[in-house]
Amino acid sequence: MRDHPPGPLWTGRASNRAQWLLAVVGAAFVVLGVQLAVASNWTSGIVPLVMSVVGCLAAGLLILFGTLAFVHVAVTVDAESLVVRCGHIGLPRCTIRLAEVTAAEFVPRVSPHQWGGWGYRWRPEKGTAVIVRRGEGVELRLDDGKIFTVTVDDAENAVRVIRTHLRALAR
């Protein structure tokens, strides 16, 4: 694979604007927790107040960061690997070496329902997936028998690039 220029040979993205609504809900929980902590006159004691504040803050931060991590995904295919970066800071990040891939398939309809929701998913009978929206995706069959799926725009071209590399690796 040394005859390829350095850098990505294919890049793609997918996003889900609906998840911004969930992020707003998470932010609302955080605001509620802060408001309870600052402006509360609870006469029932400090323990219920602390539990309410901590509960609102924890739920809000989990919802907020959990949704922001999977608002979009960026996929890059280079001469050696497929790299999946999620969210605004690129975490979680997953790198799959093309030498470990036995087959690449274009999947026209990937649904969060198939995988149990949005995000980084694992199902023993199906494998691992990064699902940010409903639609087309790339499915990789790995040499250890596992399957990796990612939803991304222009997945058909990604599969073409990966298959080209797989043929070159087979020589």
Side-chain angles (χ1 to χ4, degrees):
M1 303 295 296
R2 291 191 176 105
D3 14 338
H4 293 287
L9 300 173
W10 182 89
T11 58
R13 295 177 60 91
S15 61
N16 186 343
R17 291 191 174 101
Q19 284 187 294
W20 284 106
L21 295 174
L22 291 173
V24 169
V25 170
F29 271 102
V30 171
V31 168
L32 177 61
V34 170
Q35 183 182 6
L36 284 173
V38 172
S40 181
N41 287 349
W42 284 31
T43 58
S44 57
I46 190 76
V47 174
L49 175 62
V50 169
M51 289 174 57
S52 297
V53 169
V54 170
C56 284
L57 291 175
L61 290 174
L62 282 173
I63 293 170
L64 183 64
F65 292 120
T67 56
L68 289 179
F70 294 101
V71 168
H72 64 82
V73 64
V75 179
T76 304
V77 177
D78 63 22
E80 296 178 5
S81 61
L82 176 134
V83 178
V84 178
R85 299 183 69 189
C86 301
H88 296 288
I89 59 172
L91 294 174
R93 181 180 183 160
C94 177
T95 302
I96 298 175
R97 292 186 35 221
L98 294 181
E100 299 170 358
V101 176
T102 59
E105 299 295 326
F106 169 71
V107 184
R109 291 192 182 119
V110 178
S111 168
H113 177 70
Q114 296 169 319
W115 288 93
W118 289 315
Y120 197 93
R121 299 293 177 185
W122 175 75
R123 293 187 55 191
E125 71 279 4
K126 291 188 93 166
T128 306
V130 177
I131 307 295
V132 296
R133 53 114 173 106
R134 173 177 297 141
E136 63 184 286
V138 175
E139 181 180 275
L140 302 177
R141 296 188 190 279
L142 306 178
D143 57 8
D144 61 2
K146 296 178 182 174
I147 295 174
F148 180 81
T149 305
V150 60
T151 54
V152 65
D153 296 334
D154 195 28
E156 206 164 3
N157 283 328
V159 169
R160 278 192 207 112
V161 169
I162 293 168
R163 286 179 178 168
T164 300
H165 289 299
L166 293 179
R167 283 191 294 273
L169 285 172
R171 292 185 212 159

